[in-house]
Amino acid sequence: MEQNYNTRRSFLKSLGVTLGVAGLGVSSGVLTSCSKVSSVSPEGKIRLLTPGGTLVEVDASQLTPAEMPSLTDNQKRGRLGMEGKSWVMVIDLSKCRNARQCMAACQNHHQLRPEQHHINVLQMQDAEHTAPYYMPKPCMHCDNPPCTKVCPVNATFKRADGIVLIDNERCIGCRFCIAACPYSARVFNWFEPRDAEKYEGVTYNIEANVPQKKGTISKCLFSADLLRDGKLPSCVSACPNSVYWFGDRNEDAVTNGTTKETVSFSKLIRDNGAYTLMEELGTKPRVYYLPPKNRTFPFEGELIEKGHQG
Amino acid sequence: MRKFFFLSAAVLFLLPGLQGFSQVWEVPADQDALKNPSAFNNENVKAGRELYNTHCKSCHGDPGKNNALPLVPPPPDVTSEQMLQNSEGALFYKITTGRVAMPAFETTLTEEQRWRIVSFMKSFDPANEGLLVKEEPVKARLQGAADETAKVLTLSAQTLNASGEWMPLPHADLFISAKRTFGSLAIGQAKTNGSGHAEFKFPEEFKGDWEGLVDLRVTLGEDFSCDPLVMNRLKIAAPADTENLFADRVLWSTNDRTQWWLILAYLGVVGGVWLVIGYVIFQILKIYKAGKE
Amino acid sequence: MNEIKSPEESRKSLDRIFRDLTRSITHRDEMSRFWLFILVMFAIVGVWGFIIQIQRGLGVTGMRDYVSWGAYIANFVFFVAVSLIGFLISSTLHLLKIEWSKPISRVAEQVAIAAVAMAGLIIVMDMGRPDRLQNVFLHGRFASPILWDLTVVTTYLVISVLLFYLPLIPDLALLRDRLTGVPEIQKKIYTVLALGWKGNEEQYRLVTHAMRILMILIIPVGLSIHTVTSWLFASTLRAGWDTTIFGPYFVSGAFVAGTAAVVMVMFVYRLRYRLKNYFTHHHFDMMGKLLVFVCLVYLYFNINEFLVPGYKMRLHEGIHLRELFAGGYSRMFWFVQIAGLILPIFLLLFKYFRRPFPMFLISFLVLVASWFKRYVIVIPTMEHPHLPVQNVPDYFKHYAPTSNEIVILLFGFVGALIIITLLAKLFPVISIWEYAHQQGIDKKYLTEKPENQ
């Protein structure tokens, strides 16, 4: 019963967001890639495509534009984080088949150019004769983050729920954090970002780091804006192959983005021999990997390069 | 982006595709004639659906939504004409052997499992309409109380009988789960006794929030039409060990949570050096003064 | 110090010294105008390149997400390195009571001021958002090496300027009193800057006192400017940077680059301003020996830096070192090591090569190699991060500076040369009063009104 309480309200709310965004002449960005205004009929009825994929018709008067907090409120809220939460991600390498839906959803959500990756699916081969595998690589949201250590202006920071965020209203573009990050998780806006003129004047949302800004850093932020709405990060829900588990370590629960199954986090990582990437660097990542054994899909295609290194 | 993806997928599968696939997927006649040995009933179709969701959906997509992956050759939707014109035996053969991008499930799935997937797929065949009788779920209700000190849930289940009276529901499975941020986490199961009652010992180590509060939800199996029993904010779980990332002064943090030694060292050294520079500038002023005498 | 001279002799030789050492100020010909014109043209092109970079974004450079620090940072490190010579020659050698280096200190300070000022400018030009520079002061994090670097660069610039200015005060008074044939405004500048210098005992005492303090103060500041610069790299986890000897390694390398730069400037002054009797063979000989010494120290650190990880060849270190020794950067790497280190050490062991002109050529080679050394330190490491570089265009994987970037890089050199030229055009390149004092001319003659006026 309590599961149903939010359907109508959040449905309308999400429509509101869509409309609000549409009003700015923006196809989508706040929501997932597939939600968009289909058409506006003359009687004030609006046909909308919901994130779920169904076409609905709603009276225009019923809709209110989604509320966006002011820039300072948004920045303050974004810097505090969500109380009592401790977000973690588990990536099951045995399930990844390089479908790259995560990358596409992420680039849509965060308004990234095709060569900019908050999450990047890498072809890995640990040693010369070991089996190659695909490894999605988001930001590790380290608990000992080398990037926030070096930031001269506190533009990148770690908040109480574990997410490492970037404030592109403050970033001076020195790129020290890129040099410091051993996971190559950060990207820079070398030129005007994608669709810059389209998003001109849109209030900056620190939790999604949109709109992007020229001359500043961008990075994976576990879709902090979606988390605030109780939704899974866009990469997690976009995956067709049940690769991603995401949840709150304090609650000891992670939910699969594809099957929506919720399991105990500690049991999942214990039973499957989870590891973190380059733990020898002492960065204490929040992203756990389950090793690529008993794979659902064999590794296909040509190896881009020999060996583990680029 | 979509284009880029399509291209990479095409490159991935074009090479083996050239060697291995022709437009028509030939099935040997004896295989084509095979009949599904498992019964076409709700149970098997349901089992087939679960198997489909784990093994097939990632490429073929959701039935009827045409959201398959853009591979070469394209994986057809299970409700499509192209798919349904296959005989049961042909479907079984194709699942078993696979081709090009489609893996062979011969070793991954048992024969029985493969046939159940066939059953599931055939449930979309218009020819099979009406063969599966939807069973009317039994109406039921749940009641319960929690003993927070003993960490025991006392549950009871009742069902509506033909004459509209609530009767105890014996030997029914109750599923207890806890609400989590993105879904409900299964805690355990209990079975009602002969008089429709059940007791559930809450596991000691199960974590609630930092106070040990937990939102529980008890449900009956799918055969019953029953509102879940919701018990919010029970102080029955172990308190979560919420970690405080800001407990210590650390180097990666903001100025107000950086180590004292660092702040003192920085300010001390810089202040000291600039004091000396200030002194030197003062000496320069004195040179000016000395010239006036 | 020469023996005390008679008043007549003193006045005569002071006149001669003054004439010689102010030649850089009074001497005007087509050549110097042309030189300044060329420099200003290049500087304008550099500014124009920078404006394009601001308008279009840092993407006009060859840098991308993987090699996100490029030649700008190499340039920055180079200039910080060159600036360190100021502290070596005008402070350390002074405190060690080494006499021969005294006429060179002002050249060293000129080079130091020019280099450190440009280093500060280059780092701003490397920023993605130079318009937000104030954030460093508003929101500066004490834990960030960039904040330390900024602090120490500014501090070093201030100390260098003071160290240039203090021994200049008596000279400024001389210029104020004796110099003729310069614009009125220039005279006024000398008058103001001379601070009413009368040359009394108290004033000399104050200058010496303040100088002594600065010379001691600049040692820790000078050491830390380049140590902190090295920490920009050493504080990361990347192969090739993640090493503990980066501080002293950079400092010793800086002395090599700085010594070479000073030798070159000395040679040009000697030629252009006819200072053969001031920058003598002896000075070049000693600078040659100094260069061999700092090169040997640097060689020692190089051996440490490459032999130790090269012995182990850990995964990422191994990839990095292979790239340097035999891979895409091997030519540059071996040029740097041989032309910038081995060859100068070998050649400068012979007295023949420690003469002015050979020294000039060797120093030029050393300076060029020093620049590429910084390039080899910065870029190969960035090209090989821990994780493979995939799903990006090919030009993300290999770095090469673009023409726009080169124009801005050149601006650094041109800017430094402009500063040095202006300093030489405004102030004597050798301290007149100290030199006169060394020649046995009493201080009292300095304040005398010259007879011929």
Side-chain angles (χ1 to χ4, degrees), chain B residues 251-255 258 262-263 266-267 270 273-274 276-277 279-281 283-284 286-288 290-293, chain C residues 140-143 147-148 151 155 158-159 162 166 195-198 200 202-203 206-207 209-210 213-214 217 221:
Chain B
L251 208 55
W252 52 257
S253 206
T254 48
N255 276 347
T258 291
L262 182 86
I263 299 172
Y266 176 85
L267 294 178
V270 173
V273 168
W274 279 90
V276 177
I277 293 176
Y279 176 75
V280 168
I281 291 171
Q283 297 303 304
I284 293 174
K286 269 168 81 179
I287 292 174
Y288 177 66
K292 281 194 163 171
E293 280 155 17
Chain C
R141 274 182 78 250
F142 295 129
L147 189 76
W148 311 341
T151 318
T155 312
V158 169
I159 298 180
L162 285 175
L166 268 170
L195 289 177
W197 178 268
K198 282 208 179 86
N200 55 37
E202 173 69 1
Q203 285 183 319
L206 284 167
V207 166
H209 176 60
I213 292 172
L214 281 180
L217 184 67
V221 176

Side-chain angles (χ1 to χ4, degrees), chain B residues 15-259:
Chain B
L15 283 177
L18 285 172
Q19 304 151 5
F21 98 91
S22 56
Q23 211 50 55
V24 189
W25 193 345
E26 301 289 352
V27 179
D30 56 328
Q31 296 289 322
D32 195 47
L34 278 181
K35 287 280 161 224
N36 192 344
S38 56
F40 188 65
N41 59 23
N42 280 324
E43 201 182 322
N44 283 341
V45 169
K46 206 175 99 187
R49 185 198 308 139
E50 276 166 21
L51 289 164
Y52 176 87
N53 285 343
T54 4
H55 298 284
C56 323
K57 196 174 112 171
S58 50
C59 294
H60 288 272
D62 299 297
K65 289 196 177 160
N66 290 307
N67 55 356
L69 284 187
L71 305 177
V72 182
D77 194 284
V78 284
T79 62
S80 65
E81 184 103 8
Q82 188 195 352
M83 193 67 109
L84 291 174
Q85 70 187 5
N86 284 294
S87 71
E88 289 184 333
L91 287 174
F92 182 79
Y93 172 80
K94 289 175 178 179
I95 295 170
T96 310
T97 58
R99 87 164 168 165
V100 199
M102 175 155 165
F105 287 96
E106 191 162 11
T107 48
T108 344
L109 297 174
T110 64
E111 214 164 289
E112 207 167 73
Q113 285 176 316
R114 276 173 268 153
W115 279 122
R116 285 193 175 151
I117 294 175
V118 173
S119 296
F120 167 67
M121 293 168 80
K122 279 293 166 191
S123 72
F124 295 103
D125 195 339
N128 288 339
E129 210 168 324
L131 278 185
L132 290 178
V133 184
K134 267 255 184 240
E135 287 170 43
E136 199 54 42
V138 183
K139 254 191 148 51
R141 68 178 183 187
L142 290 168
Q143 282 164 331
D147 184 342
E148 292 179 342
T149 40
K151 298 202 170 190
V152 170
L153 299 177
T154 325
L155 305 164
S156 69
Q158 288 162 318
T159 177
L160 207 60
N161 69 2
S163 48
E165 290 162 22
W166 287 105
M167 302 292 289
L169 175 62
H171 313 300
D173 285 324
L174 301 174
F175 301 92
I176 298 103
S177 59
K179 188 168 175 274
R180 289 300 189 235
T181 315
F182 301 108
S184 46
L185 176 63
I187 302 173
Q189 264 172 266
K191 214 175 180 71
T192 53
N193 59 15
S195 52
H197 291 289
E199 266 200 359
F200 180 71
K201 180 81 185 89
F202 199 83
E204 284 293 333
E205 71 280 9
F206 193 86
K207 297 277 198 303
D209 67 1
W210 60 278
E211 283 179 295
L213 295 179
V214 67
D215 296 346
L216 292 184
R217 180 187 153 101
V218 184
T219 51
L220 275 167
E222 272 190 20
D223 303 335
F224 298 93
S225 138
C226 172
D227 286 338
L229 169 66
V230 177
M231 293 188 276
N232 280 345
R233 294 182 66 78
L234 291 186
K235 201 181 166 80
I236 198 168
D241 17 58
T242 50
E243 44 193 342
N244 181 5
L245 291 166
F246 299 123
D248 300 317
R249 293 189 157 263
V250 283
L251 208 55
W252 52 257
S253 206
T254 48
N255 276 347
D256 47 326
R257 279 190 290 259
T258 291
Q259 284 106 327

Side-chain angles (χ1 to χ4, degrees), chain A residues 2 22 308:
Chain A
E2 91 288 356
H308 165 96

Side-chain angles (χ1 to χ4, degrees), chain C residues 32-44:
Chain C
S32 38
R33 286 204 198 96
F34 180 67
W35 169 246
L36 261 178
F37 171 76
I38 291 285
L39 288 183
V40 170
M41 281 297 122
F42 269 103
I44 288 172

Side-chain angles (χ1 to χ4, degrees), chain A residues 190-242:
Chain A
W190 298 98
F191 293 106
E192 281 294 349
R194 192 188 94 182
D195 303 335
E197 60 297 339
K198 216 155 106 185
Y199 297 108
E200 214 184 316
V202 176
T203 311
Y204 174 58
N205 182 358
I206 192 172
E207 291 189 324
N209 198 32
V210 289
Q212 302 277 344
K213 270 191 192 63
K214 182 177 81 177
T216 63
I217 297 284
S218 188
K219 70 179 286 296
C220 155
L221 9 82
F222 274 173
S223 298
D225 56 330
L226 294 183
L227 298 180
R228 198 171 281 283
D229 295 342
K231 292 187 196 124
L232 290 166
S234 22
C235 53
V236 173
S237 29
C239 176
N241 297 316
S242 337

